[in-house]
Structures are given as C-alpha cells and as structure tokens.
C-alpha cells in the first residue's frame, strides 16, 4: 500500500469534483432506503400534480365571469371549493414526503458517520501523521452534516422542480402551443448560464471545504497548546497566523458564494423576461380572438410554475455543489486503504519471552528517502535498551517499526525468532506496553482511565498498581477518590500526575515488553526519583526499550543505542560509551556543562 501523501489535500484542491465517484458512493448509502424513497417520490409526484390542477381551475373560473352580469357564482364557488381541497391535499402529501426525506437523511448521515469513524480506526498511523486532527474532525462533522442537509432539502426541491417543469410544460402545450415557443429561447439561455456557473462553482466549493478543514486544524492545535503560546508570548503571532488562515477561508467562501448565488438572480432575470414576452404575445392572441382571458391567466400561472423551479434549482445549485464537494471529502476518506491485512497464514504471537532481533533494517516514511539505514540490533529477554540522540535522529521511528505501526522497507524484525511480518499485528502490539511522552487521558473516572488497557481488572488491581506508581495517596485526596471524573484531556490535574496515571495504567497491562518514550519528562526531579523504584518494578523481567533525552536516567541500561541521522553510530553500556569519548560522551556532558 502506498503511504499517505501529506500533500494530497493540497494538491487536489483546484481540480473538479468527481461527480460520478460521489453519486456511485451515495447510491450505496441510499440503497437500504429505496422503499421509503419510492414512497417519497410518489407522494412528491402526486403533490405536484395536484398543485398543477390549480391554474386550470383558476382559468375556468375567470372565463365564467360575465361583465354584462350573467356570472355563474355557484359554479365559481364550486371551483373554489375544489381548489381549496386540491391544495390542502397537495400540502399534506408534500409534508409527508418531507418527513420521509428527513428520515432518509438522518439514517444516511448516521450510517455515514459511523462508517467513517469505524474506518478511521482501521487506517494506518501514516494517515493520521499526514493530516491535521481538525481536518479529520471537519470531515466527521461539517462535511457529513452538509451532505445530510442537502439530502433533506435540496433533493426534495430538485424532485419537485422536475415534476413541475414537465407538468407545467404539458399543461401549457394544451392551452397555447404557440406561446410555448417563448421558452424555446429563454430555457436554453438559462441552461447555458447555469452550466457556466456550475463549472465555476465546483472547484470553489471543494476548496472551501478544504480551507475550513485547515482552519479547524489550526484552531485545534492552538487551543490544545494555548499554555505554551502564552508562556512564549506568541499571542500576537498566532492571531496573525489565524488572520491569514481565516482570510483564506473567508475568501474561499466568498468566491464560492459569489458564483453560487449569482445563478439565482441571473436565471430569475431570464424567467422574468420570458413572463413579459408571454404577457405581450398573449395579449396579441387575445386581440385576435385565439385565446380567452382565463386561458391567458392559466398559461401565465403555469409559466410561473415552469420558470419558478428553474430559478429555484439555480438558487440551490451553490448548496448542491457544496454538498457534492463535502461528500467527495467524506468518500475519499472511506477510500483510503486501511492498514494492510495480516499475512495469509499469519501466526499469533504467544508465550512471549522478549528476545528481539533486528537485522539490516531499512526504512523511510517517503519513498526513495531512507531515514533508517542498515540498522541491526540483538536484544535478549529482560534487557533494557536505551535509544538516545537528537530530535529527528530516528528514535521514535524504531518504536513505530517495533509496534508495526509501519512496516520496514528492508531487513527484518524478529520477536522470539518470529519475523513480525509473519505475525498478526494485534498480537505483536499486545506484546508491548507503551508509556508515551504525550499523556492521553479521556473524560471519565480515574478508575476507568487506569483500567483502560485491562477492562477485566478489579478495583484491588487498580489500587495495587497506583500504590506502585506512587499515585494512590493523591487519588485518595481527590473529591470522589477513584471515581473522580477527569475533565476533557484531564485538565483538572497536573502534567506530572497525568504521567503517573499513565504509568499506573501501563503497570496494569502485564505485557512481556515495555516501551517508555520519555515517560518521566513531565515529572519534576523529586517525583521522578520517587517513581524510579516503581518503574524498576514495572521493568523487572521485561524487555524494555527506553527513549530518553535525560541521559542520567538510563545509566543502568544494558545497551545504549546512540542514533544520528537514522544511523546507530555507537552501541554499548553507559560506562564504555563514556570511556570511548565519542558522540554519546558529548551528549552526556553537554547536559551537565553548567555544573
């Protein structure tokens, strides 16, 4: 599978929306609702056809008026009663069809959102590495809602308008075929105008959705990191950056709305011209005695029903194009290749000891750009391996490959003699427990957060690991103890306490191998010292991979890998590496040069 191209969302902004792609996928979502859609369609046709009876009855009633005093008011009242009944029944059927379409819209949106969310859980890490969180959220919320609103409203308008146009044309032909020739000029003019505007609008609405996604992503990042922004005094800078992105989004909206809304007035002008011509030529025909006043009245009403839907379709064309662009963004996410399936005869890794063998490993996130070069490593069960180096040296990449978040381009990674590519991803990942630098706690109780990786854990198990992580006394002081609800992203506790909670969570998952990615980076020196013993208990008997920037914390590691630009430039224990006076020695002493 080709890796996700981080530039994909930018490289395709300007191209036209693939309408065939959108409609094929949309029909799949509408398939379960075909019976309801058929009923909606029939009710819509019936409602529209009943509304077409009105102008005919009005014309008949007008022709009954006799200026000389012989008007048959009884028959006029009769027509009026029929007219009221017809319009009332038409309104009821239109209301029922609107309810039905609303039900279809809600069901489609619910299914679409569920499938997108479920699909996101199956996508590879590379997909999320290449997109802003706000852009993905925009697809799940704004884009899907836009599709739903279009289904509920725009589709109904198009259905009704189509029937009205055809029905009105037929009725006008029965009244005065010659007058219909007026529309032979104005309708093609409307079509040409609409097609021109649609051609302009399609890429603009697609760009509008993309710009909104970018803006959401920026706001999400800044909101999450607002403390850092204030600490560095960058408020003015982020306001300036926001103004740029906001202006881009507003410009994209303005251009899309400009071409989207200009179609309505333009087509409306053409329709009014046609109405004027009908009135003029109708008057001439009346003077020649070829048409009655009632027929002229009926024809004008039908011409309004004929041109009105054309105008209405032109007015919603912008919204319709916006919905198509939004639907394409949704379906493009669903088209993203999920994480590759396990090998056909993939084995489940069981009874893991923790021996790891990495042989001539090569890897790059982007094709033809290798960042891990011919890397080899042998780790025995129970050993502690520390990986150090400057940012971007490739430390986290090694962890990504061990966990099979990515698969290597060359070489092999073996656990207990089994090549990981021949094992199921789930079993490989279960063999590891991770404690990351970026803590992640969800809105829920302290107990639920700690038991997240082990739902079968008892209250006693949770208390035990919290005592080992030296966080139990803090939890007991909380208002409801272990049942205290943490706010979103646990903003009501400190960073150090968050880290201790994640360490306790890792202790509860008894995996044979452990990954610590700067697990104590958010803990002060005193707290770090307190949890060192607990960490040693957690690491005892396990194969451990430790990413560390604070080199004083990994002196006791069995092996230290010193990475530089994707290469392991040194290997050994702390003492041997210090004695060699190489790159590790430089890194180590640079952290204490002020002492």
């Amino acid at each position: 599978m080709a890796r996700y191209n981080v530039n994909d969302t930018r490289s395709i902004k300007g191209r036209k929306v693939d309408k065939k792609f959108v409609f094929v996928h949309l029909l799949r979502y509408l398939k379960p609702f075909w019976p309801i859609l058929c009923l909606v369609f029939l009710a819509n046709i019936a409602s529209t056809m009943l509304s077409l009876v009105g102008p005919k009855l009005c014309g008949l009633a007008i022709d009954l008026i006799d200026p000389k005093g012989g008007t048959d008011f009884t028959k006029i009242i009769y027509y009026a009663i029929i007219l009221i009944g017809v319009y009332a029944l038409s309104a009821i059927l239109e209301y029922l069809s609107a309810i039905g379409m609303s039900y279809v819209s809600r069901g489609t949106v619910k299914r679409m959102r569920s499938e997108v969310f479920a699909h996101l859980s199956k996508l590879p890490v590379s997909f999320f590495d290449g997109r802003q969180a706000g852009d993905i959220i925009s697809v799940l919320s704004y884009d899907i809602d836009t599709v739903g609103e279009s289904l509920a409203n725009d589709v109904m308008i198009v259905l009704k308008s189509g029937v009205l146009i055809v029905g009105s044309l037929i009725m006008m032909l029965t009244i005065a075929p010659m007058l219909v020739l007026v529309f032979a000029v104005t309708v093609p003019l409307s079509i040409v105008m609409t097609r021109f505007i649609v051609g302009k609008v399609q890429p603009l609405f697609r760009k509008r959705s993309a710009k909104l996604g970018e803006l959401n992503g920026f706001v999400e990042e800044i909101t999450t990191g607002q403390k850092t922004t204030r600490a560095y005094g960058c408020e003015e800078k982020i306001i300036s950056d926001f103004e740029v992105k906001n202006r881009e989004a507003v410009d994209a909206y303005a251009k899309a709305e400009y071409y989207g809304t200009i179609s309505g007035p333009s087509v409306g002008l053409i329709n009014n011209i046609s109405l004027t011509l009908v009135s003029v030529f109708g008057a001439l025909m009346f003077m020649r005695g070829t048409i009655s006043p009632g027929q002229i009245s009926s024809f004008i009403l039908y011409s309004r029903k004929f041109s009105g839907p054309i105008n209405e379709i032109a007015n919603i064309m912008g919204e319709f194009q916006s919905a198509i662009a939004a639907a394409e963004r949704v379906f493009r996410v669903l088209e993203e290749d999920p994480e590759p399936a396990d090998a056909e005869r993939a084995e489940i890794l069981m009874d893991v000891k923790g021996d790891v063998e990495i042989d001539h490993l090569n890897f790059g996130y982007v094709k033809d750009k290798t960042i891990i070069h011919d890397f080899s490593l042998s780790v025995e069960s129970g050993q502690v391996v520390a990986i150090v180096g400057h940012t971007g040296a490739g430390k986290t990449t090694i962890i990504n490959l061990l966990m099979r978040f990515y698969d290597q381009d060359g070489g092999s990674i073996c656990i207990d003699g089994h090549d990981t590519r021949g094992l199921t991803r789930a079993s490989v990942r279960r063999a590891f427990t991770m404690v990351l630098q970026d803590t992640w706690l969800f809105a829920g109780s302290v107990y639920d957060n700690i038991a997240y990786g082990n739902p079968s854990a008892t209250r006693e198990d949770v208390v035990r690991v919290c005592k080992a992580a030296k966080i139990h006394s803090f939890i007991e002081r909380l208002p409801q103890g272990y049942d205290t609800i943490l706010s979103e992203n646990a903003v009501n506790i400190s960073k150090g306490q968050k880290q201790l909670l994640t360490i306790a969570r890792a202790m509860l998952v008894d995996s044979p191998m452990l990954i610590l990615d700067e697990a104590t980076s958010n803990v002060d020196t005193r707290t770090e010292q307190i949890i060192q013993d607990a960490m040693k208990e957690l690491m005892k008997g396990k194969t451990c991979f430790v990413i560390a920037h604070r080199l004083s914390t990994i002196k006791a590691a069995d092996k230290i890998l010193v990475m530089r630009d994707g290469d392991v430039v040194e290997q050994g224990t702390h003492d041997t590496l210090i004695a060699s006076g190489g790159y590790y020695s430089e890194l180590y002493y640079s952290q204490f040069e002020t002492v």
Side-chain angles (χ1 to χ4, degrees):
M1 180 193 72
R3 294 194 180 95
Y4 182 78
N5 180 0
V6 296
N7 295 316
D8 276 357
T9 56
R10 292 177 172 82
S11 62
I12 57 179
K13 281 179 190 172
R15 71 169 177 79
K16 289 186 177 181
V17 175
D18 189 343
K19 289 187 285 188
K20 182 179 179 181
F21 168 83
V22 171
F23 287 130
V24 167
H25 282 72
L26 191 58
L27 287 174
R28 180 174 69 86
Y29 280 96
L30 293 176
K31 189 175 181 180
F33 301 101
W34 278 125
I36 297 175
L37 283 172
C38 289
L39 291 174
V40 165
F41 184 67
L42 291 174
N44 197 280
I45 290 177
S47 170
T48 306
M49 294 302 291
L50 285 170
S51 70
L52 288 171
V53 175
K56 187 72 174 178
L57 292 174
C58 288
L60 293 174
I62 289 172
D63 283 338
L64 289 173
I65 298 174
D66 187 353
K68 297 178 181 179
T71 303
D72 187 351
F73 287 102
T74 304
K75 206 163 188 180
I76 289 176
I77 293 172
Y78 170 73
Y79 283 142
I81 293 172
I82 294 177
L83 196 61
I84 292 171
V86 165
Y87 279 135
L89 184 57
S90 174
I92 292 171
L93 289 173
E94 186 175 358
Y95 174 70
L96 292 175
S97 64
I99 290 177
M101 205 63 206
S102 177
Y103 174 80
V104 171
S105 171
R106 289 198 307 270
T108 302
V109 165
K110 180 178 180 296
R111 182 185 169 196
M112 192 179 291
R113 187 169 282 131
S114 297
E115 287 193 10
V116 170
F117 189 82
H119 189 66
L120 286 172
S121 69
K122 300 174 185 177
L123 293 177
V125 172
S126 56
F127 175 84
F128 300 95
D129 286 345
R131 279 194 175 187
Q132 290 179 311
D135 191 37
I136 298 172
I137 293 170
S138 180
V139 172
L140 267 171
S141 55
Y142 170 77
D143 289 332
I144 291 179
D145 284 341
T146 300
V147 174
E149 289 174 8
S150 183
L151 281 175
N153 301 314
D154 299 343
V155 171
M156 284 293 299
I157 291 173
V158 171
L159 282 175
K160 182 179 179 180
S161 298
V163 177
L164 270 177
I165 290 170
V166 174
S168 298
L169 179 61
I170 293 172
M171 295 303 290
M172 286 190 294
L173 287 171
T174 61
I175 296 171
M178 293 298 293
L179 279 179
V180 178
L181 292 175
V182 170
F183 298 102
V185 176
T186 58
V187 169
L189 191 58
S190 298
I191 293 172
V192 170
M193 177 68 70
T194 304
R195 285 181 64 86
F196 171 75
I197 293 171
V198 167
K200 290 284 187 181
V201 162
Q202 281 180 352
L204 293 177
F205 273 100
R206 195 174 191 283
K207 184 177 180 180
R208 188 181 84 165
S209 293
K211 285 295 181 182
L212 180 64
E214 286 183 22
L215 184 64
N216 285 344
F218 180 80
V219 171
E220 190 266 342
E221 286 179 356
I222 296 304
T223 303
T224 304
Q226 52 91 17
K227 289 182 180 178
T228 303
T229 299
R230 295 187 182 185
Y232 283 92
C234 293
E235 291 91 342
E236 293 298 326
K237 183 181 185 304
I238 65 166
I239 290 173
S240 175
D241 291 344
F242 176 81
E243 286 301 323
V244 171
K245 292 188 177 294
N246 191 26
R247 186 168 58 252
E248 288 177 352
V250 169
D251 289 345
Y253 263 77
K255 288 180 180 178
E257 293 299 326
Y258 172 78
Y259 284 103
T261 56
I262 200 174
S263 59
S266 300
V267 175
L269 173 63
I270 296 171
N271 289 336
N272 286 330
I273 291 173
S274 68
L275 186 61
T276 303
L277 293 175
V278 166
S279 301
V280 171
F281 288 117
L284 293 174
M285 291 176 67
F286 171 72
M287 292 173 64
R288 294 177 59 185
T290 58
I291 193 171
S292 69
Q295 288 177 316
I296 293 175
S297 175
S298 295
F299 193 96
I300 290 175
L301 290 174
Y302 281 124
S303 70
R304 297 285 296 187
K305 286 184 176 293
F306 177 79
S307 59
I310 296 175
N311 192 34
E312 202 165 10
I313 290 174
N315 279 324
I316 67 164
M317 194 55 64
E319 296 175 16
F320 203 60
Q321 294 302 318
S322 178
I324 293 174
E328 187 186 37
R329 276 167 52 86
V330 173
F331 297 142
R332 290 297 178 193
V333 171
L334 289 170
E335 284 289 294
E336 287 288 339
D337 293 332
E339 197 167 45
D342 294 321
E344 187 176 346
R345 297 183 180 179
E347 300 176 3
I348 298 176
L349 185 62
M350 301 177 66
D351 302 323
V352 182
K353 295 178 182 178
D355 294 326
V356 177
E357 190 76 31
I358 300 176
D359 185 46
H360 298 292
L361 190 70
N362 290 285
F363 174 76
Y365 290 103
V366 180
K367 189 177 180 181
D368 300 326
K369 190 175 181 181
T370 303
I371 61 173
I372 300 294
H373 312 91
D374 198 29
F375 170 55
S376 296
L377 173 69
S378 181
V379 184
E380 294 179 8
S381 175
Q383 284 190 324
V384 177
V385 178
I387 309 173
V388 303
H390 285 302
T391 301
K395 304 183 298 297
T396 303
T397 300
I398 297 297
I399 301 304
N400 285 338
L401 294 172
L402 283 171
M403 293 286 289
R404 285 201 72 189
F405 291 145
Y406 293 85
D407 281 329
Q408 63 268 25
D409 297 326
S412 64
I413 300 175
C414 295
I415 299 176
D416 294 346
H418 301 282
D419 191 320
T420 55
R421 286 174 296 188
L423 301 170
T424 62
R425 283 184 176 79
S427 65
V428 169
R429 291 166 187 170
R430 279 197 302 268
F432 291 91
T433 298
M434 293 185 72
V435 180
L436 302 176
Q437 179 179 0
D438 297 325
T439 56
W440 179 78
L441 297 171
F442 56 84
S445 70
V446 172
Y447 174 85
D448 290 337
N449 270 280
I450 296 172
Y452 180 76
N454 186 2
S456 62
T458 63
R459 177 68 64 125
E460 291 73 22
D461 292 330
V462 172
V463 171
R464 172 177 53 80
V465 296
C466 288
K467 287 180 178 179
K470 310 300 182 185
I471 192 66
H472 173 71
S473 59
F474 163 74
I475 296 173
E476 287 290 291
R477 292 194 299 272
L478 292 173
Q480 285 84 40
Y482 283 87
D483 295 318
T484 300
I485 300 298
L486 300 177
S487 61
E488 187 178 355
N489 203 26
V491 294
N492 52 344
I493 63 175
S494 71
K495 287 226 172 193
Q497 289 157 351
K498 286 183 192 178
Q499 194 64 274
L500 291 170
L501 288 175
T502 60
I503 290 170
R505 181 166 63 194
M507 289 180 173
L508 198 59
V509 181
D510 191 24
S511 301
M513 293 186 285
L514 182 66
I515 293 173
L516 303 174
D517 186 353
E518 277 296 309
T520 59
S521 62
N522 291 324
V523 180
D524 59 76
T525 305
R526 181 176 178 276
T527 307
E528 179 186 7
Q529 190 61 43
I530 291 174
I531 68 172
Q532 284 299 322
D533 292 339
M535 292 298 296
K536 288 176 183 176
E537 285 296 318
L538 172 64
M539 297 165 68
K540 190 175 293 182
K542 296 182 180 180
T543 303
C544 301
F545 295 88
V546 182
I547 295 178
H549 291 290
R550 202 179 301 175
L551 303 186
S552 60
T553 62
I554 47 94
K555 287 182 179 180
D558 298 298
K559 286 185 180 180
I560 298 175
L561 305 180
V562 187
M563 299 196 69
R564 192 174 196 175
D565 299 327
D567 293 315
V568 177
V569 294
E570 291 179 317
Q571 287 192 46
T573 63
H574 172 78
D575 292 335
T576 58
L577 291 172
I578 290 292
S580 68
Y583 184 52
Y584 177 81
S585 179
E586 290 180 25
L587 291 174
Y588 183 79
Y589 285 118
S590 68
Q591 295 186 2
F592 304 98
E593 61 185 4
T594 58
V595 178

